[in-house]
């Protein structure tokens, strides 16, 4: 989804990916010209179909006939007869899960499997933990793509459950959506020594047994750590563990007694403010120097439909309902106000969509 400036860019990224041993290519019609660029690059490089695993995605809610048309169009753009994996792209709401289980969504997925057009079906999700847990419990899916990041590990229990049940688990962009770690700030680089932050982000997930990491490369150089870490799927080493502990310690020192521990005991908020998610962005900005990333994510709130949160910290009514539930005694309304004043800015365009 990021190598979209020209077909030549996609060709260069794919060539570098294959050279360093990557064999899983994940894309979607929603990513502009990505499928067409990828199909063209596969043809130009004469990549044998058996050499790659190809995943694409369809948005939920499609009528059966339209879904069938879109899937055939995916295959045509990619120049293949069959997808290894078809995902429901953004199973983010309860009605999306309902669509996959009953009615036209269920018919579409069954048709795709029955016609041999896809090998298995799965889903990606930006939804709540409860929704993801419910989706996994249906037994309908063979894999899932989740937000699993070094700086946001809250979905790791769900990932472990999925892995234990035999599902594949893909981590959604640990580099970019995990903190724009292709270009980390200087203080984060210092905190992770002697390792690179992206190296630690990848190793943290690989050590958990995650099946695939979606790298989101925009240039061949973005794949450098993938090449260096090929096969590095074992437990964390002593140096990596020490670096992660130092990283956590330095953030705690910077944030002091105002650090949100992400226990989520403050929920539910009477007006549905996603308190831990907002204070996590504050932690990232002030504790790890990821201010640009935190500001970017904060300013997507309310502007990305069901793909992201809908209420930012300005929605807090200072009712105090959360205060007695916080085990750390945080002045949550004050911290939310500080988060908003620190991160809010004029809206900017999303990368895609």
């Amino acid at each position: 989804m990021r190598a979209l400036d020209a077909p030549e860019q996609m060709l260069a990224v794919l060539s570098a990916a294959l050279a360093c041993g990557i064999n899983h290519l994940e894309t979607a019609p929603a990513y502009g010209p990505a499928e067409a660029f990828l199909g063209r690059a596969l043809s130009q490089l004469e990549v044998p179909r058996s050499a790659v695993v190809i995943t694409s995605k369809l948005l939920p809610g499609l009528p059966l006939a339209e879904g069938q048309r879109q899937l055939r169009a995916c295959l045509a753009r990619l120049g293949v007869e069959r997808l290894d994996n078809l995902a429901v792209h953004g199973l983010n709401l309860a009605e999306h899960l309902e669509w996959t289980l009953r009615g036209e969504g269920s018919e579409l997925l069954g048709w795709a499997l029955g016609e041999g057009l896809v090998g298995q079906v799965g889903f990606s999700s930006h939804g709540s933990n409860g929704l993801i847990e419910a989706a996994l419990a249906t037994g309908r899916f063979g894999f899932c793509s989740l937000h699993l990041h070094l700086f946001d590990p809250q979905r790791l229990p769900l990932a472990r459950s999925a892995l234990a049940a035999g599902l594949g688990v893909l981590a959604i962009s640990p580099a970019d959506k995990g903190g724009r770690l292709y270009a980390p700030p200087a203080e984060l680089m210092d905190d992770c020594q002697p390792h690179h932050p992206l190296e630690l982000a990848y190793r943290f997930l690989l050590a958990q047994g995650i099946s695939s990491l979606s790298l989101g490369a925009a240039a061949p150089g973005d794949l450098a750590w993938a090449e260096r870490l090929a096969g590095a799927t074992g437990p964390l080493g002593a140096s990596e563990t020490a670096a992660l502990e130092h990283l956590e310690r330095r953030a705690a020192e910077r944030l002091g007694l105002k650090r949100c521990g992400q226990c989520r005991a403050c929920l539910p908020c009477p007006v549905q403010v996603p308190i831990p998610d907002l204070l996590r962005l504050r932690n990232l900005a002030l504790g790890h120097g990821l201010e640009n990333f935190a500001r970017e994510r904060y300013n997507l709130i309310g502007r990305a439909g069901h793909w992201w949160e809908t209420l930012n910290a300005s929605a807090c009514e200072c009712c105090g309902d959360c205060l007695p539930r916080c085990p750390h005694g945080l002045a949550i309304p004050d911290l939310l106000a500080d988060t908003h004043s620190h991160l809010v800015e004029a809206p900017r365009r999303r990368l895609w969509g």
Side-chain angles (χ1 to χ4, degrees):
M1 65 181 281
R2 290 185 164 79
L4 302 182
D5 290 343
E8 293 75 21
Q9 181 188 17
M10 182 71 78
L11 180 65
V13 167
L14 178 60
S15 180
L18 296 171
C20 70
I22 289 172
N23 69 340
H24 185 176
L25 312 175
E26 191 226 20
T27 185
Y31 301 157
E35 285 185 329
F37 284 5
L38 182 57
R40 176 172 167 175
L42 288 167
S43 176
Q44 286 179 278
L45 294 173
E46 298 182 343
V47 179
R49 181 63 184 88
S50 60
V52 289
V53 174
I54 299 179
T55 297
S56 195
K57 308 187 277 285
L58 292 178
L59 294 168
L62 293 170
L64 175 60
E66 176 60 15
Q68 292 172 329
R69 185 196 69 78
Q70 289 196 20
L71 178 55
R72 290 191 180 102
C74 286
L75 297 173
R77 286 189 293 268
L78 290 164
V80 299
E81 296 181 352
R82 177 180 182 271
L83 294 175
D84 298 284
N85 308 306
L86 174 66
V88 178
H89 192 180
L91 197 156
N92 301 337
L93 302 173
E95 51 262 42
H96 297 161
L97 180 57
E98 180 71 14
W99 176 83
T100 68
L101 299 179
R102 282 167 278 277
E104 293 190 281
S106 179
E107 289 182 59
L108 173 61
L109 299 180
W111 169 82
L113 288 165
E115 292 293 313
L117 300 179
V118 303
Q120 63 173 345
V121 298
F123 67 91
S124 68
S125 182
H126 300 237
S128 69
N129 287 1
L131 178 66
I132 294 168
E133 185 174 23
L136 294 173
T138 65
R140 183 73 177 86
F141 305 105
F143 67 97
C144 59
S145 301
L146 306 176
H147 282 280
L148 303 163
H149 305 136
L150 171 61
F151 294 114
D152 186 12
Q154 62 159 310
R155 291 180 179 84
L156 275 177
L158 292 170
R160 293 190 191 105
S161 295
L163 291 166
L167 279 73
V169 177
L170 183 146
I172 299 173
S173 195
D176 189 81
K177 294 179 181 176
R180 295 173 115 190
L181 300 180
Y182 285 134
E187 62 195 90
L188 185 60
M189 289 286 289
D190 290 341
D191 290 349
C192 292
Q193 291 298 324
H195 301 279
H196 190 283
L198 191 49
E199 175 189 7
L200 288 180
Y202 287 160
R203 283 288 295 125
F204 173 77
L205 293 173
L206 291 172
Q208 302 287 333
I210 303 304
S211 309
S212 298
L213 308 185
S214 172
L215 306 187
D222 293 339
L223 300 171
W225 280 111
E227 186 171 15
R228 294 178 202 177
L229 294 175
T233 57
L236 293 172
S239 177
E240 294 166 328
T241 300
L244 289 172
E245 291 173 350
H246 181 256
L247 174 66
E248 182 70 11
R249 187 163 58 249
R250 291 292 290 131
E253 291 169 358
R254 294 187 187 108
L255 291 161
L257 297 178
K258 296 181 179 180
R259 175 178 178 270
C260 174
Q262 296 291 287
C263 67
R264 309 184 80 81
C266 56
L267 298 178
C269 167
V271 293
Q272 304 302 309
V273 174
I275 298 169
D277 300 292
L278 301 179
L279 295 186
R280 183 181 74 86
L281 294 178
R282 183 181 185 276
N283 285 354
L284 294 180
L286 302 181
H288 295 293
L290 292 168
E291 186 165 330
N292 289 337
F293 170 76
R295 184 172 289 115
E296 176 187 274
R297 304 310 289 176
Y298 187 81
N299 288 282
L300 280 178
I301 296 172
R303 299 176 178 129
H306 57 73
W307 296 92
W308 196 235
E309 301 292 351
T310 57
L311 293 177
N312 67 22
S314 69
C316 174
E317 297 180 351
C318 300
C319 68
D321 192 73
C322 55
L323 294 174
R325 295 200 295 268
C326 178
H328 307 291
L330 297 179
I332 291 174
D334 293 341
L335 291 179
L336 288 172
D338 180 67
T339 299
H340 187 72
S341 64
H342 195 78
L343 298 181
V344 72
E345 65 179 17
R348 61 178 65 179
R349 185 181 180 278
R350 293 181 71 192
L351 179 65
W352 59 270

